[in-house]
Amino acid sequence: MFKTVIAGIGHYVPKNVFTNNDLTRYMDTSDEWIQERTGIKERRYADRTGETTTTMGVEAAKMAIEKAGISNNDIDFIIFATLSPDYYFPGCGVLLQRAMKMNEVGALDIRNQCSGFVYALSVADQFIKTGTYKNILLVCSEKHSFGLDFSTRGRNVSVIFGDGAAACVLQPTQEEGRGVLSTHLHSDGESAEILAMFNPGTHANHWLEQKVANFDDAEMGEMFMSHQMIDNAQNFPNMDGPTVFKKAVVKFPEVIMEALEKNGYKPSDLNLLIPHQANLRIAQFVQQKLQLKDEQVYNNIERFGNTTAASIPIALSEASELGKIKKGDLVCMAAFGSGFTWGSALMRW
Ligand code: ACO
């Protein structure tokens, strides 16, 4: 049986830096509040007209493919994880396949929000281990800035998120002591509405306690997206932040320990933990709970905000560029987010 290695990794963040003070032009907030609650100082926003989730993914993919020393035509499967796709459908996978003029290979889209990278890696790992594919391109990209409520009404969500992309080329190896050791995926749909964007959607109010439109009177087309839904901010992410926070600080350590114990390791054995960059306070809580040293945890949320699916691979790509990960290092990646979904992956780099 093969193991999965990251043969090349790259990331791309837009040039446009948006500081906490920049946000105060649109909403009632402050640099002090945002830094104290989230650790974020600034984030990147995509160019308003020239960049999409897919085009940012393409930039990251080019870097990953170059680092792997292969060409676009060597890619035999594409996995694209995002919650902010260019179109409602089709997904970004095929748009990237077209933009990069790739062969007619399979393109799978993953919708697991902040857990997108860990879920995607787990799927890719199954294909690689079984020898099905030899060069999987895994792309994670988010253009949040187009879909946030920049008024004071949306400030608890909008200040957190940033745009960016990352990609990696995954290959099989039989080299002893390298590769993905295990992945662990979980979900709890009881909390689906705690962090969600409801419309456009086909739910027809079925799941929502608070009804947003009178469907009896609605024109067929308005059931998907009506003026009332927009008035009620249903087209923006909705989040009960404190509930997310409380669940995250339990599930992060749990799923990291699950990965370590499955492979006979303890937290002190870790060379690097890359937690999904949800909130610096969550990452610090997890670090403290597992008694990890500062050099065992990599965070970059202060510069990029929460880039959802892209956050772990952007951090992984940066850490690798900075020489913070060496061949053979024990690296754990863990995520928690909307769904709720959460998961972890443990690998020898
Ligand atoms: N600026 C100023 N004040 C604000 C802001 C803001 N940006 N946002 C909220 N407030 C106010 C609230 O209105 C509230 O005021 P009130 O007391 O007068 O009612 C007060 O601050 C406290 O609000 P809380 O929501 O209780 O603030 P909290 O301390 O919980 O911090 C935060 C909010 C940062 C969102 C936090 O709950 C959090 O990080 N939660 C986790 C979010 C997360 O990790 N999401 C990741 C998953 S994302 C994904 O999967 C897509």
Side-chain angles (χ1 to χ4, degrees), residues 27-30 33-34 37-38 83 113-115 144 155-157 159-161 195 239-245 248 276 278-279 282 306 308 336-338:
M27 63 186 81
D28 181 11
T29 189
S30 66
W33 192 97
I34 299 169
R37 306 287 176 120
T38 70
L83 68 62
Q113 294 71 251
C114 295
S115 309
H144 288 307
R155 64 184 176 173
N156 70 319
V157 176
V159 301
I160 294 178
F161 294 99
L195 175 49
M239 177 172 77
D240 171 355
T243 303
V244 176
F245 197 103
H276 161 54
N279 178 326
I282 294 176
N306 178 341
T308 306
F336 176 89
S338 160

Side-chain angles (χ1 to χ4, degrees), residues 236-250:
F236 292 122
N238 180 75
M239 177 172 77
D240 171 355
T243 303
V244 176
F245 197 103
K246 280 182 210 142
K247 191 91 171 184
V249 294
V250 174

Side-chain angles (χ1 to χ4, degrees), residues 97-149:
Q97 183 270 347
R98 174 174 70 182
M100 298 191 78
K101 298 184 171 43
M102 285 179 170
N103 294 333
E104 292 176 350
V105 299
L108 171 71
D109 289 274
I110 298 252
R111 292 192 52 177
N112 282 86
Q113 294 71 251
C114 295
S115 309
F117 176 76
V118 174
Y119 267 74
L121 180 63
S122 183
V123 171
D125 188 38
Q126 313 311 313
F127 282 130
I128 298 268
K129 278 197 297 208
T130 52
T132 309
Y133 295 119
K134 291 192 168 48
N135 284 297
I136 296 183
L137 177 65
L138 194 175
V139 182
C140 298
S141 181
E142 303 285 2
K143 184 179 171 182
H144 288 307
S145 61
F146 243 47
L148 296 172
D149 181 356

Side-chain angles (χ1 to χ4, degrees), residues 89-226:
F89 74 84
C92 292
V94 296
L95 300 181
L96 179 126
Q97 183 270 347
R98 174 174 70 182
M100 298 191 78
K101 298 184 171 43
M102 285 179 170
N103 294 333
E104 292 176 350
V105 299
L108 171 71
D109 289 274
I110 298 252
R111 292 192 52 177
N112 282 86
Q113 294 71 251
C114 295
S115 309
F117 176 76
V118 174
Y119 267 74
L121 180 63
S122 183
V123 171
D125 188 38
Q126 313 311 313
F127 282 130
I128 298 268
K129 278 197 297 208
T130 52
T132 309
Y133 295 119
K134 291 192 168 48
N135 284 297
I136 296 183
L137 177 65
L138 194 175
V139 182
C140 298
S141 181
E142 303 285 2
K143 184 179 171 182
H144 288 307
S145 61
F146 243 47
L148 296 172
D149 181 356
F150 283 100
S151 73
T152 296
R153 179 181 63 179
R155 64 184 176 173
N156 70 319
V157 176
S158 306
V159 301
I160 294 178
F161 294 99
D163 300 342
C168 49
V169 173
L170 301 163
Q171 291 179 347
T173 187
Q174 286 185 314
E175 203 179 328
E176 198 56 38
R178 285 195 74 205
V180 173
L181 303 176
S182 63
T183 58
H184 306 268
L185 308 178
H186 296 279
S187 73
D188 174 9
E190 281 301 318
S191 308
E193 285 75 25
I194 293 292
L195 175 49
M197 187 176 125
F198 303 119
N199 285 98
T202 61
H203 58 84
N205 277 339
H206 178 77
W207 307 103
L208 302 180
E209 273 174 40
Q210 216 184 346
K211 308 298 176 200
V212 292
N214 184 347
F215 279 93
D216 296 336
D217 298 340
E219 293 292 330
M220 285 302 278
E222 288 193 359
M223 292 179 180
F224 197 54
M225 177 58 93
S226 68

Side-chain angles (χ1 to χ4, degrees), residues 5 13 17 134 178 186 188 230 248 269 298 307 320-321:
V5 283
V13 288
V17 176
K134 291 192 168 48
R178 285 195 74 205
H186 296 279
D188 174 9
I230 292 172
D269 295 321
Y298 189 78
T307 55
S320 150
E321 271 190 338

